[in-house]
């Protein structure tokens, strides 16, 4: 507790930390009736309402914060942080664009500014900010090196990313982020010597690691290096160790997910407005939602579309989930809480669609179409179809074992707790297939399904997708030499190569995958 805080804030913070959220809100609201422009109290109250699962009062408080003149760059950054927490990236970016922030040469301000640009997916700006911060620092610290490495990674600079990941690992030998990044760089460069040296380093630090998230990151990195070198017998124990550590850190609640999926399976969104894609109103860009399981080819498809002159590749963002959270007054930290499903019947879907378009206009960057490539939006398809009649929804599907193993071998983190155990992947895959079949049945004409295997004939696939999205076909989309800008996913370096569908990687571990193989035996590749 900061003893320099005003007494009411100390008391409210204690309530907040103890989980007494009603008391925290009451304390802060009483103070704000007397001092309505107290930014610190507004910010803490915003987070208390979010902890209570309420989005609408949090958004109102964020708007009040945005209307206050910022005292300094740090205050502007704190307000921008709160705005992003409730999904208001437009106002947050407006704050970041002010001279108060833009003109700062304080390295701490530059670093925090870069972190917020990263949350918005603006990695070209992240790269410029972190390079400036590094120039102003006598010795860039580990966190700055890691953020610049990620920016270089996502912008396609494998050499620069590798140098920064290595420098960060030198400073912090057990850095999971550095280890993961280096494993990706080595795989993209096919650098066997660097991979071998990195394997030795990982073996040296893993025995002393005690926390689950670091153990998971290092073990997954070790697996990736060994897999790249085709040392499959040594790789499997590393993957087992990483997955077990991740499962301890982020357990999967199968019953909770089953309840959500069952509720969605009862959703019948079919109306005249959702039957077929509509034309976008004049002056409005058309969103293209690319959905599917992670590691299923969604980044490959966005890469192709991102080279189109009429498409802005906006990457993965949760903008629709934020606006759905506001429409249902539910915190959107979980993509689709049960409360939001229960309140869906009362949504003003036209208003929801307009709010989404308003908050994402900047992502189109003046082009007629823009992508929204959050894979897990497959759960929100009915809401998307009703709120956005002009939206195109493309589902990228992959053969069951390829899809399942691609997930198992990648440390996806807290957002995907089902991805660390074979039986959990089987359960989740069944939910995914059942719900996608339901959407195709109740929303005929709104979904285009493409198979990962179709990337083998990328031109034919792209022609199908362009026709569905009302875009002219452009041959340049197939040119791997054309810069695709930022790819903010673990596929960032891989997708810059010529498109080659990767199939059958799981075969090297077949003897260890009985649970996956038997559990998915009843599923064929999605039709």
């Amino acid at each position: 507790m900061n003893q320099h805080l005003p007494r009411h804030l100390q008391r409210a913070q204690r309530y907040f930390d103890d989980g007494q959220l009603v008391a925290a809100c009451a304390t802060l609201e009483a103070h704000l009736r007397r001092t309505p422009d107290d930014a610190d109290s507004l910010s803490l109250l915003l987070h208390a309402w979010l902890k209570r699962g309420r989005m609408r009062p949090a958004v109102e408080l964020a708007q009040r914060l945005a209307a206050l003149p910022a005292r300094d760059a740090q205050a502007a950054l704190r307000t921008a942080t709160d705005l992003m927490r409730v999904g208001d990236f437009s106002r947050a970016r407006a704050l970041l664009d002010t001279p108060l922030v833009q003109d700062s040469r304080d390295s701490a301000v530059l670093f925090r500014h870069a972190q917020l640009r990263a949350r918005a997916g603006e990695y070209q700006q992240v790269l410029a900010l972190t390079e400036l911060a590094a120039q102003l620092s006598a010795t860039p610290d580990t966190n700055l090196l890691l953020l610049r490495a990620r920016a270089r990674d996502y912008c396609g600079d494998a050499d620069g990313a590798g140098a920064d990941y290595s420098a960060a690992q030198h400073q912090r030998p057990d850095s999971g982020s550095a280890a993961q990044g280096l494993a990706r760089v080595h795989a993209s460069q096919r650098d066997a010597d660097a991979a071998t040296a990195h394997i030795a380093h990982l073996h040296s630090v893993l025995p002393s690691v005690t926390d689950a998230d670091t153990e998971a990151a290092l073990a997954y990195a070790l697996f990736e290096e060994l897999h790249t070198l085709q040392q499959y017998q040594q790789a499997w124990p590393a993957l087992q160790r990483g997955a077990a550590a991740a499962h301890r850190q982020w357990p999967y609640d199968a019953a909770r997910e089953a309840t959500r999926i069952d509720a969605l399976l009862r959703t019948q969104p079919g109306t005249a407005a959702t039957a077929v894609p509509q034309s976008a109103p004049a002056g409005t860009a058309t969103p293209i939602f690319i959905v599917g399981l992670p590691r299923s080819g969604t980044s490959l498809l966005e890469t192709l579309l991102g080279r189109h002159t009429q498409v802005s590749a906006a990457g993965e963002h949760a903008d629709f989930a934020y606006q759905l959270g506001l429409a249902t007054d539910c915190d959107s930290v979980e993509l689709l809480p049960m409360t939001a499903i229960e309140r869906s019947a009362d949504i003003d879907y036209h208003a929801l669609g307009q709010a989404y378009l308003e908050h994402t206009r900047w992502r189109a960057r003046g082009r007629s179409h823009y992508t929204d490539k959050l894979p897990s939006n497959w759960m929100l398809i009915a809401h998307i179809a009703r709120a956005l009649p002009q939206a195109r929804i493309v589902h990228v599907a992959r053969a069951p074992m390829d899809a399942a193993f691609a997930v198992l071998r990648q440390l996806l983190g807290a957002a995907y707790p089902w991805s660390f155990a074979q039986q959990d992947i089987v359960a989740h895959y069944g939910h995914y297939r059942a719900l996608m079949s339901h959407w195709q049945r109740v929303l005929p004409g709104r979904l285009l399904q493409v198979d990962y295997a179709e990337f083998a004939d990328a031109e034919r696939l792209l022609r199908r997708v362009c026709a569905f999205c009302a875009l002219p076909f452009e041959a340049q989309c197939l040119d791997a030499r054309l810069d695709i800008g930022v790819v903010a996913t673990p596929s960032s370096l891989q997708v810059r190569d010529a498109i080659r569908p990767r199939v059958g990687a799981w075969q090297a571990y077949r003897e260890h995958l009985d649970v996956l193989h038997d559990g998915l035996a009843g599923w064929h590749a999605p039709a």
Side-chain angles (χ1 to χ4, degrees):
M1 176 69 66
N2 185 346
Q3 299 302 316
H4 298 291
L5 290 175
R7 187 172 302 173
H8 79 279
L9 266 180
Q10 292 184 37
R11 184 165 63 252
Q13 188 69 59
R14 281 195 299 270
Y15 286 140
F16 184 92
D17 294 341
D18 291 342
Q20 300 181 52
L21 300 174
V22 174
C25 289
T27 299
L28 293 164
E29 286 166 347
H31 172 75
L32 287 165
R33 282 193 288 273
R34 298 188 298 273
T35 313
D37 293 343
D38 182 349
D40 292 333
S41 296
L42 288 167
S43 179
L44 184 55
L45 182 57
L46 178 154
H47 289 276
W49 276 115
L50 288 173
K51 280 275 192 180
R52 294 174 69 178
R54 297 284 307 282
M55 179 62 86
R56 287 176 188 163
V59 168
E60 292 172 3
L61 289 160
Q63 291 171 352
R64 286 173 62 181
L65 278 166
L68 297 177
R71 299 186 300 272
D72 50 38
Q74 290 285 8
L77 292 172
R78 285 193 295 272
T79 296
T81 302
D82 287 339
L83 287 163
M84 288 187 179
R85 177 60 183 81
V86 297
D88 196 342
F89 285 83
S90 295
R91 281 194 177 88
R93 291 176 68 253
L95 265 179
L96 298 181
D97 287 340
T98 58
L100 193 64
V101 176
Q102 289 285 337
D103 295 345
S104 175
R105 292 299 177 265
D106 181 298
S107 59
V109 169
L110 289 165
F111 177 70
R112 184 58 186 153
H113 184 183
Q115 286 182 309
L116 293 176
R117 292 291 182 181
R119 285 187 63 180
E122 298 180 290
Y123 278 93
Q124 296 286 3
Q125 291 92 323
V126 175
L127 184 54
L129 289 163
T130 51
E131 288 183 340
L132 179 56
Q135 292 170 14
L136 296 172
S137 304
T139 303
D141 67 14
T142 306
N143 292 329
L144 177 57
L145 287 168
L146 286 172
L147 185 54
R148 187 172 67 177
R150 179 157 38 113
R152 287 174 163 173
D153 186 338
Y154 290 170
C155 292
D157 178 7
D159 290 338
D164 275 346
Y165 284 131
S166 294
Q169 189 174 77
H170 180 75
Q171 290 185 5
R172 192 185 302 164
D174 65 348
S175 168
S177 297
Q180 291 269 295
L182 281 171
R184 285 198 305 275
V185 170
H186 297 158
S188 74
Q189 296 178 328
R190 299 170 180 84
D191 189 338
D193 290 340
T196 299
H198 193 211
I199 288 167
H201 170 81
L202 293 169
H203 278 306
S204 73
V205 297
L206 265 166
S208 61
V209 172
T210 57
D211 58 296
D213 54 347
T214 300
E215 180 184 4
L218 295 176
Y220 271 92
L222 178 59
F223 163 79
E224 196 60 41
E225 297 283 30
L226 290 164
H227 178 82
T228 297
L229 296 179
Q230 299 182 357
Q231 297 178 20
Y232 302 129
Q233 289 303 313
Q234 298 95 324
W236 178 253
L239 179 56
Q240 280 187 303
R241 179 175 181 177
H247 194 268
R248 292 196 306 273
Q249 183 75 355
W250 301 297
Y252 171 58
D253 190 337
R256 184 180 187 188
E257 179 168 89
T259 300
R260 284 199 298 163
I261 297 299
D262 287 344
L264 287 170
L265 286 170
R266 295 191 294 272
T267 302
Q268 299 291 332
T271 67
T274 59
V276 294
Q278 307 294 307
S279 297
T284 302
T286 298
I288 302 171
F289 288 84
I290 304 174
V291 304
L293 292 181
R295 314 297 294 163
S296 65
T298 55
S299 293
L300 280 176
L301 181 57
E302 186 179 48
T303 297
L304 290 174
L305 288 172
R307 297 189 181 112
H308 198 288
T309 58
Q310 296 182 28
V311 179
S312 169
E316 296 184 6
H317 48 91
D319 289 319
F320 192 86
Y322 279 121
Q323 297 310 313
L324 181 59
L326 179 57
T328 56
D329 196 17
C330 299
D331 183 14
S332 59
V333 68
E334 181 183 13
L335 183 73
L336 185 61
M338 192 64 201
T339 307
I341 299 173
E342 293 167 348
R343 295 175 181 172
S344 292
D346 301 324
I347 292 174
D348 180 339
Y349 279 94
H350 176 74
L352 170 59
Q354 292 303 113
Y356 171 86
L357 293 171
E358 175 64 27
H359 281 81
T360 58
R361 181 187 295 119
W362 66 275
R363 296 192 187 273
R365 305 189 188 282
R367 299 189 178 185
S368 64
H369 294 67
Y370 60 104
T371 57
D372 186 325
K373 195 201 74 69
L374 187 66
S376 49
N377 273 334
W378 59 266
M379 284 191 289
L380 305 181
I381 284 175
H383 301 85
I384 292 168
R386 289 188 67 179
L388 296 162
Q390 71 273 46
R392 268 54 178 181
I393 307 169
V394 183
H395 170 217
V396 186
R398 195 172 185 181
M401 280 300 294
D402 284 323
F405 184 68
V407 165
L408 181 64
R409 66 177 282 190
Q410 180 74 49
L411 180 58
L412 295 173
Y416 301 95
W418 51 270
S419 65
F420 312 121
Q422 293 185 49
Q423 67 272 19
D424 293 343
I425 295 173
V426 168
H428 183 81
Y429 186 85
H431 293 151
Y432 151 73
R433 287 292 296 272
L435 192 57
M436 288 309 304
S437 295
H438 176 69
W439 294 149
Q440 287 175 315
R441 186 172 61 256
V442 301
L443 291 167
R446 289 307 308 271
L447 285 169
L448 175 67
Q449 182 162 292
V450 301
D451 192 306
Y452 179 83
E454 293 181 71
F455 284 106
D457 187 348
E459 179 177 341
R460 182 179 179 185
L461 169 62
L462 184 61
R463 286 184 183 277
R464 283 185 64 207
V465 174
C466 285
F468 177 73
C469 295
L471 287 165
F473 171 75
E474 293 182 354
Q476 69 179 20
C477 296
L478 303 170
D479 187 349
R481 297 168 300 177
L482 197 65
D483 181 29
I484 57 174
V486 172
V487 180
T489 76
S491 307
S492 56
L493 299 174
Q494 173 187 323
V495 299
R496 296 175 192 278
D497 293 335
I499 290 177
R500 297 187 303 273
R502 291 166 169 82
V503 299
W506 61 275
Q507 296 280 7
Y509 306 95
R510 172 64 186 86
E511 64 182 296
H512 306 292
L513 297 174
D514 283 347
V515 173
L516 269 188
H517 190 267
D518 295 347
L520 299 176
W523 296 106
H524 302 289

